[in-house]
């Protein structure tokens, strides 16, 4: 069963498409958090960023890079929040990688992405050393 975004890619359901190339497509979010709220996706279905092959990741970022100024300029935004909910525990509802470009305006009442996680952890130097080493050994 294909995701709702694959159905958009295949033209089975309508969307307000603002950009499309061979491997990526961008369209307006159906429930915008701000005017111009845009989603950028790879046309092929990958659930999480972790699953996206390097060449597709590169194409995806190129489209995001292209769309950020286009979206901001179109709605005269002061800034934008650009983010992925990567996995259901992080709030991802559609299991098809998508980047949110959310235009931001001075005084819009929104917050920074620092607010998305729960209570910040208290980590001592030993714990930070361990995490640093663990991540770098896997990178
Ligand atoms: P997420 O919570 O990161 O998975 O976000 C999914 C986003 O997809 C939400 O902002 C929805 O409003 C949006 N969305 C769901 N269905 C559609 C659709 N058919 N067309 C455009 N946007 C959609």
């Amino acid at each position: 069963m294909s995701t709702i975004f694959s159905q958009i890619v295949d033209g089975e359901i309508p969307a307000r498409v603002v950009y499309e190339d061979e491997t990526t497509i961008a369209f307006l979010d159906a429930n915008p958090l701000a005017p111009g709220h845009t989603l950028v996706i790879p046309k092929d279905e990958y659930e999480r960023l972790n699953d996206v092959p390097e060449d597709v990741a590169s194409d995806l970022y190129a489209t995001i890079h292209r769309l950020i100024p286009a979206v901001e300029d179109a709605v005269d935004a002061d800034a934008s929040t650009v983010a992925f909910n990567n996995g259901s525990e992080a709030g991802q509802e559609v299991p098809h990688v998508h980047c949110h470009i959310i235009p931001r305006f001075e005084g819009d009442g929104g917050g920074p992405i620092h607010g998305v996680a729960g209570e910040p952890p208290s980590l001592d130097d030993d714990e930070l050393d361990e995490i640093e080493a663990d991540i770098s050994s896997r990178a």
Side-chain angles (χ1 to χ4, degrees), residues 5 8 27-31 39 85 91-94 98 100:
F5 292 167
I8 288 173
F27 49 88
L28 297 186
D29 194 293
N31 304 290
L39 302 176
N85 291 322
Q92 183 179 357
E93 289 179 357
V94 178
H98 50 282
H100 292 264

Side-chain angles (χ1 to χ4, degrees), residues 36-106:
H37 181 174
T38 296
L39 302 176
V40 183
I41 70 168
K43 286 185 169 175
D44 286 344
E45 211 171 281
Y46 305 101
E47 184 165 342
R48 291 180 53 163
L49 281 168
N50 318 37
D51 308 320
V52 176
E54 208 168 311
D55 57 334
V56 178
S58 176
D59 292 349
L60 184 63
Y61 187 73
T63 300
I64 293 166
H65 185 254
R66 179 184 190 119
L67 265 290
I68 290 169
V71 169
E72 288 188 1
D73 291 351
V75 297
D76 206 17
D78 298 308
S80 52
T81 295
V82 181
F84 294 82
N85 291 322
N86 193 37
S88 58
E89 296 81 359
Q92 183 179 357
E93 289 179 357
V94 178
H96 185 146
V97 165
H98 50 282
C99 174
H100 292 264
I101 302 175
I102 305 168
R104 300 296 304 270
F105 303 88
E106 193 178 349

Side-chain angles (χ1 to χ4, degrees), residues 8-11 17-27 41 43 63 66-67:
I8 288 173
V9 171
D10 293 339
V17 175
V18 296
Y19 177 78
E20 180 171 10
D21 60 27
E22 205 177 317
T23 54
T24 68
I25 186 169
F27 49 88
I41 70 168
K43 286 185 169 175
T63 300
R66 179 184 190 119
L67 265 290

